[in-house]
Amino acid sequence: MNRSLQKLAVVTLLMFLILAGYLGYIQVIKGEELFFHPQNPRLARLESERMRGVITDRQGKILARTVKEKEGLRREYPLGEAAAQVIGYASNRFGSSGLEAAYAGELLGIKGWARFKNLAAQLAGRQPRGADLSLTLDADLQDLAYRLLAGRRGAIVALDPRTGAVLALASSPSFNPNNLAGEMARIAARPGGSPLLNRAIQGVYPPGSTLKPVTAAAALGANTAVAGGKFVCPGFLEVNGRRLHCPHPHGTVDFSQAMMYSCNVTFAKMALEVGGENFVRTAESFGFNQEIPLELPVLPGRLPPSSKLNANELAEIAIGQGEVTTTPLHMALIAAAIANDGLMMRPFIVESVKAFNGRVIWQVKPRVWRVTTGAEVAKIIRRAMEAVVARGTGQAAELPGVRVAGKTGSAQNPQGKAHAWFIGFAPVEAPRAAVAVIIENGGAGGEVAAPLAREVLAKAIGVVD
Amino acid sequence: MREFTLLIWPSLILGAGCAYALLSPGQGVLWRPGYALTFLLIGFWGTHLVLQATGHRGDEYLLPLAFCLTAIGLTFIGRLDAHLAWRQVTWTAIAILALIVTVTAGRDYQRWLQYPYFYLTLGLFFLVLTVILGTRISGAKSWLTLGSFQMQPVEAVKILMVLFLANFLEIKRELLSARAGVAAWGPLLLAVALALLFLVIQRDLGSALIILTTFLAMLYVATQRLRFVLGGGLIFAFGVLAAYHLFPYLRVRFGVWLNPWPVAQAAGYQVVQGLFAFAGGGLLGTGLGLGQPEFIPAVATDFIFAAIGEELGLAGGLAIICLYILLAYRGYRAALRAPDGEGLLLAAGLTFLLTFQAFVIMAGVSKLLPLTGVTLPFVSYGGSSLVASYIALGLLLNVSAAGWNEQR
Ligand SMILES: [Zn+2]
């Protein structure tokens, strides 16, 4: 029986080794993520005795800070409703959200070495204090974007296409983080509008015609001669017995005109020409079906794999309808990639983490996230998108003395009127800002979303020089 | 002599636990840790002296290992719930007395193993009694209440089962391996199936799992046939599948194990709180008394390992695991050196019983396996478990002593 006994002993040892490895996984590797789960009751005590660090914008303007009052510590948000979802809140009663939740470890000073330093401070009777966050957001631009939304359901995202830095991430309707108890009661009493939802990253919409630059990239990537081609639009396209329409027959158009007038027939034809496999591969290079890396959770843009696409579905997806969905941040990234010669930069909101004495603990390094299309193809699409603003559907985004490029979209949806979309960037010769605007059920993108993008771009190119 | 030196370790742990209790305000008054320390040190060293005086030549590591675990357990119980601490001190004293009785009166274990059907009957009787008269506490109806006194007979049943199997399997093992072994298999499977059935009725799934696995482990050691274990595992899998459809509470448990987050405020509360405790501990822990394990329900009994994980971190958890690995090593070593097959099976069965139970609850509270409420042997609060564990330890000591005598 000795042999079987030895085997039993080995099994016993193995089961404890598995347990030991697993404990290492949940306590050390997954530990911090688990600990900062909003439902962890330990966070409440930590919140009540720790000074959270300060959150500032790119110019050092305060976006969140903790003030000491007689009743204890209180968190203050000078921008109020304008940045409520992206900054988030930290409350004993309501938990935490946004960057306040994502960076709780740094802000509370319990990540890495800061944890031991603060423990020592606490034992010495000093007030422990967390690290500060320096964001890429511009407080004024964020405020402007939120005011432009004017209480309508929608979102505005502005990026620096050269780095991926997020300049504004506004979502509406919103809530006032300075009066959480009141706001939570209001939201509970009158649900609807989901003010807690960050539509810029968690709002999922059909992209409508703003997807056409991606369709163009697929067509041009396969054959650059498409740029010089002529297309005939009789007002509809029949695919397997089903018709896809344009608002009216566009007649004979070239590539730029197809973009300018947003000709559905031409873009559907282009997609059918390159085929589902090419099209889906290009869309995936633009970040569809990929987890978008950001400090906050972003819902991914989705479209079905090419193996599941028939010609009808492909034609529909090519014009941003049917089974394709995206988020405003993702559409801003697509605009930014075309602005940046096809290189899609990894988006980020936190520029650096600093200890309270100003020492930089961590600093972001801009990195390329995806290589979408070649510089030559990007340039062709940029010119067409410039024509959209100069002479096409996006003229409401025109700025005097600045070359603006863009694409409008009016995405059909089952909820009612079309979602008004606009994506764009400026100045075309050396883009410094890219933008995506959506107004839910707003109607025509060129009329409703483009004027908002104009204001945001004007301000943003002043912000980043 | 080695045992004498090794006993310094549990004594130091107890001393540290006592010092902590005295220093933290309001705690010491409730359970007078100073007295408890003196009392327990007398117990620890007294046991050693009794073993010496009676010429018991058992394994010298087993006792210090168990005392280390108990000392860590007491330190945490004192820190978690001062009211429970004195009771646990009393239970430790009773458990040590039970150990002393086992190692003196029961040293000739071969004589005690001669009554397998008595142990079987007694075990099943306990189970039937619990099914009929039991009290349901936190889900499982596995408690017998006598006035203010509560006990879990299942702790005794586990040991009775090993005692029965050690003898039965040794006598019938040729027969079991043979083709015409129906006469031997019949009563064996009936006995195990009945025990499991009663436990499932009580909803004590943890104990059912432990008894079944211990049975399969001993069957494998006795017959050396892996296919018996696999067959048993297969039958078990079907049993689980059937039970899964029959009992809604099982589906809830299983769902919580797969993803406790949607029910974090309901059925998954305990598991989620346990995970937060482990996460809060990190590598080195918050330090004794600086964590907040009091958020976890049943933290002094089933979830004591999560409290240790929070305040002593991964380091503390690994230390506990190491103690059980060492316990397993010394236990199996005693089994290998046993002078006879019964002794081997007894020591192997008890060692597996103790360490597997430890594994089941440590894996359960950390969500490696579905949670089943059993105690952490030697560590958790609970008299029945503590006394049973020390009796098992005493039996292990007896087998190792027989091995030593044999080699001389
Ligand atoms: Zn057309």
Side-chain angles (χ1 to χ4, degrees):
Chain A
M1 289 190 279
N2 289 0
R3 285 251 312 280
S4 47
L5 181 62
Q6 280 162 353
K7 282 182 188 158
L8 182 65
V10 171
V11 169
T12 310
L13 178 66
L14 276 179
M15 92 199 166
F16 280 117
L17 290 183
I18 291 170
L19 178 67
Y22 172 76
L23 276 184
Y25 173 73
I26 61 163
Q27 292 202 267
V28 180
I29 299 173
K30 277 277 184 185
E32 266 171 9
E33 188 188 325
L34 253 177
F35 186 78
F36 289 110
H37 192 282
Q39 287 186 22
N40 188 351
R42 283 160 190 77
L43 293 173
R45 188 173 86 173
L46 215 58
E47 293 290 353
S48 61
E49 62 190 27
R50 285 280 166 94
M51 282 278 271
R52 267 187 179 247
V54 177
I55 304 179
T56 55
D57 85 338
R58 62 193 299 123
Q59 262 109 36
K61 282 191 191 153
I62 288 169
L63 299 176
R65 71 170 158 213
T66 297
V67 287
K68 264 192 181 162
E69 285 180 340
K70 263 190 238 119
E71 312 87 73
L73 304 173
R74 190 172 63 80
R75 196 77 167 151
E76 217 177 59
Y77 302 96
L79 229 47
E81 298 188 337
Q85 295 94 351
V86 56
I87 305 295
Y89 52 81
S91 145
N92 282 348
R93 246 179 90 192
F94 303 105
S96 57
S97 74
L99 289 170
E100 290 271 43
Y103 278 80
E106 285 81 0
L107 288 164
L108 288 167
I110 45 175
K111 220 169 176 174
W113 281 114
R115 172 178 171 177
F116 298 103
K117 277 192 186 165
N118 274 315
L119 196 65
Q122 205 164 6
L123 291 175
R126 277 180 290 122
Q127 169 80 59
R129 199 182 173 296
D132 298 339
L133 296 188
S134 226
L135 305 189
T136 57
L137 293 182
D138 182 84
D140 295 338
L141 188 67
Q142 176 78 25
D143 195 48
L144 172 73
Y146 176 69
R147 279 188 289 109
L148 287 169
L149 289 167
R152 290 171 288 181
R153 280 174 289 120
I156 295 181
V157 179
L159 302 172
D160 185 334
R162 298 165 297 180
T163 58
V166 177
L167 305 172
L169 199 76
S171 174
S172 169
S174 186
F175 61 97
N176 183 357
N178 293 308
N179 172 27
L180 268 186
E183 292 287 83
M184 291 295 183
R186 174 178 70 91
I187 293 164
R190 268 192 314 126
S194 323
L196 297 175
L197 177 74
N198 190 342
R199 288 177 158 76
I201 53 177
Q202 299 273 315
V204 174
Y205 308 98
S209 297
T210 54
L211 192 70
K212 283 176 183 159
V214 174
T215 310
L220 292 165
N223 177 14
T224 39
V226 169
K230 294 276 182 207
F231 308 87
V232 179
C233 168
F236 66 88
L237 178 69
E238 197 164 299
V239 186
N240 294 343
R242 281 175 58 188
R243 281 188 173 192
L244 180 146
H245 291 274
C246 273
H248 55 88
H250 288 111
T252 304
V253 291
D254 63 16
F255 176 76
S256 266
Q257 285 167 327
M259 190 74 90
M260 263 166 65
Y261 307 127
S262 200
C263 175
N264 290 339
V265 169
T266 303
F267 281 93
K269 270 187 196 159
M270 282 186 205
L272 292 172
E273 185 83 5
V274 297
E277 208 170 310
N278 258 328
F279 177 81
V280 170
R281 195 178 331 109
T282 306
E284 285 180 348
S285 80
F286 275 94
F288 278 93
N289 296 338
Q290 314 290 328
E291 291 298 326
I292 295 177
L294 189 77
E295 293 91 336
L296 298 174
V298 184
L299 289 177
R302 290 264 177 236
L303 53 75
S306 55
S307 58
K308 294 215 175 116
L309 280 183
N310 63 33
N312 289 99
E313 288 162 336
L314 176 60
E316 213 177 11
I317 288 173
I319 58 166
Q321 296 292 160
E323 282 187 66
V324 56
T325 57
T326 182
T327 59
L329 174 77
H330 186 204
M331 289 318 292
L333 283 169
I334 289 173
I338 290 160
N340 196 39
D341 281 342
L343 294 183
M344 190 181 277
M345 304 301 288
R346 173 188 289 259
F348 62 96
I349 310 175
V350 178
E351 201 268 331
S352 63
V353 180
K354 293 189 185 115
F356 70 94
N357 57 16
R359 188 176 57 85
V360 174
I361 299 171
W362 178 85
Q363 174 117 34
V364 74
K365 284 183 211 71
R367 273 186 296 167
V368 173
W369 178 45
R370 306 195 76 75
V371 179
T372 61
T373 185
E376 195 53 38
V377 169
K379 197 174 164 192
I380 297 168
I381 299 172
R382 273 206 299 274
R383 273 207 302 266
M385 286 173 74
E386 192 181 358
V388 170
V389 174
R391 302 182 297 279
T393 53
Q395 292 178 39
E398 214 170 1
L399 279 171
V402 183
R403 291 170 61 196
V404 179
K407 182 73 198 77
T408 58
S410 310
Q412 309 299 320
N413 64 85
Q415 283 85 35
K417 260 172 54 173
H419 295 321
W421 270 108
F422 187 88
I423 64 169
F425 48 87
V428 175
E429 65 278 13
R432 297 199 298 273
V435 69
V437 176
I438 183 172
I439 302 288
E440 287 181 24
N441 307 112
E447 287 162 29
V448 179
L452 275 51
R454 174 185 192 272
E455 303 294 318
V456 172
L457 282 175
K459 173 110 189 137
I461 55 181
V463 167
V464 280
D465 279 310
Chain B
M1 229 14 239
R2 192 175 288 138
E3 189 171 85
F4 182 86
T5 326
L6 286 172
L7 277 177
I8 291 171
W9 292 105
S11 308
L12 284 176
I13 297 170
L14 264 191
C18 169
Y20 166 76
L22 285 173
L23 288 172
S24 54
Q27 290 237 333
V29 198
L30 275 167
W31 65 288
R32 286 184 296 258
Y35 290 121
L37 176 69
T38 323
F39 194 50
L40 289 168
L41 287 182
I42 293 172
F44 285 6
W45 298 83
T47 314
H48 169 70
L49 290 178
V50 169
L51 287 171
Q52 287 278 304
T54 56
H56 195 289
R57 308 310 298 255
D59 189 282
E60 293 194 289
Y61 290 87
L62 285 170
L63 199 59
L65 283 169
F67 282 160
C68 274
L69 288 166
T70 301
I72 295 172
L74 276 168
T75 302
F76 271 86
I77 293 163
R79 172 254 174 280
L80 289 167
D81 190 340
H83 294 282
L84 294 183
W86 249 119
R87 285 179 159 192
Q88 182 76 345
V89 170
T90 318
W91 278 117
T92 309
I94 295 172
I96 289 176
L97 284 178
L99 170 83
I100 291 174
V101 170
T102 314
V103 293
T104 47
R107 188 177 308 179
D108 183 9
Y109 66 87
Q110 276 127 331
R111 196 154 61 86
W112 289 96
L113 283 176
Q114 299 316 307
Y115 317 101
Y117 291 101
F118 169 68
Y119 298 129
L120 179 64
T121 316
L122 192 63
L124 293 177
F125 171 72
F126 277 159
L127 287 176
V128 173
L129 204 64
T130 328
V131 168
I132 298 168
L133 302 174
T135 320
R136 191 180 296 283
I137 294 177
S138 66
K141 189 179 173 183
S142 56
W143 298 78
L144 279 186
T145 312
L146 295 166
S148 66
F149 180 80
Q150 288 173 328
M151 59 174 279
Q152 276 188 299
V154 69
E155 298 294 346
V157 174
K158 289 173 194 160
I159 295 177
L160 290 170
M161 206 71 191
V162 174
L163 288 171
F164 159 71
L165 288 170
N167 179 271
F168 186 92
L169 289 174
E170 169 62 15
I171 293 170
K172 303 281 170 74
R173 90 187 142 101
E174 306 287 313
L175 204 57
L176 286 170
S177 303
R179 279 180 178 279
V182 189
W185 279 103
L188 183 62
L189 291 181
L190 186 69
V192 175
L194 272 179
L196 293 181
L197 181 71
F198 292 139
L199 285 169
V200 171
I201 292 174
Q202 295 170 28
R203 296 196 179 183
D204 189 352
L205 298 171
S207 300
L209 174 70
I210 289 162
I211 285 183
L212 175 74
T213 317
T214 306
F215 161 66
L216 292 176
M218 290 177 78
L219 185 66
Y220 172 64
V221 172
T223 61
Q224 322 224 24
R225 298 287 169 87
L226 197 59
R227 61 192 158 95
F228 290 166
V229 179
L230 296 178
L234 213 65
I235 294 171
F236 172 69
F238 278 117
V240 166
L241 219 63
Y244 186 85
H245 286 284
L246 281 173
F247 304 104
Y249 75 92
L250 254 178
R251 288 196 285 275
V252 173
R253 284 264 182 101
F254 199 72
V256 163
W257 175 59
L258 285 179
N259 186 6
W261 299 104
V263 284
Q265 295 301 325
Y269 186 77
Q270 204 177 16
V271 170
V272 163
Q273 296 304 319
L275 285 177
F276 287 149
F278 281 111
L283 192 61
L284 298 173
T286 57
L288 188 61
L290 295 176
Q292 291 166 285
E294 52 275 10
F295 287 119
I296 316 169
V299 67
T301 52
D302 300 357
F303 269 71
I304 197 159
F305 188 60
I308 296 171
E310 174 164 11
E311 304 207 326
L312 302 182
L314 177 64
L318 292 183
I320 301 275
I321 291 176
C322 281
L323 288 173
Y324 281 110
I325 291 177
L326 288 173
L327 191 74
Y329 170 61
R330 298 312 294 190
Y332 288 133
R333 187 172 179 274
L336 275 176
R337 299 183 174 205
D340 52 13
E342 283 170 302
L344 184 149
L345 282 170
L346 179 64
L350 291 172
T351 306
F352 187 81
L353 177 71
L354 289 172
T355 50
F356 186 69
Q357 174 155 346
F359 170 75
V360 163
I361 188 61
M362 290 194 286
V365 299
S366 56
K367 207 177 82 71
L368 176 62
L369 294 179
L371 176 65
T372 51
V374 293
T375 54
L376 187 56
F378 301 112
V379 181
S380 285
Y381 173 76
S384 313
S385 160
L386 204 60
V387 173
S389 301
Y390 272 97
I391 290 176
L393 188 80
L395 291 168
L396 272 179
L397 283 170
N398 290 343
V399 177
S400 66
W404 190 86
N405 290 331
E406 186 80 358
Q407 288 191 336
R408 294 287 299 201

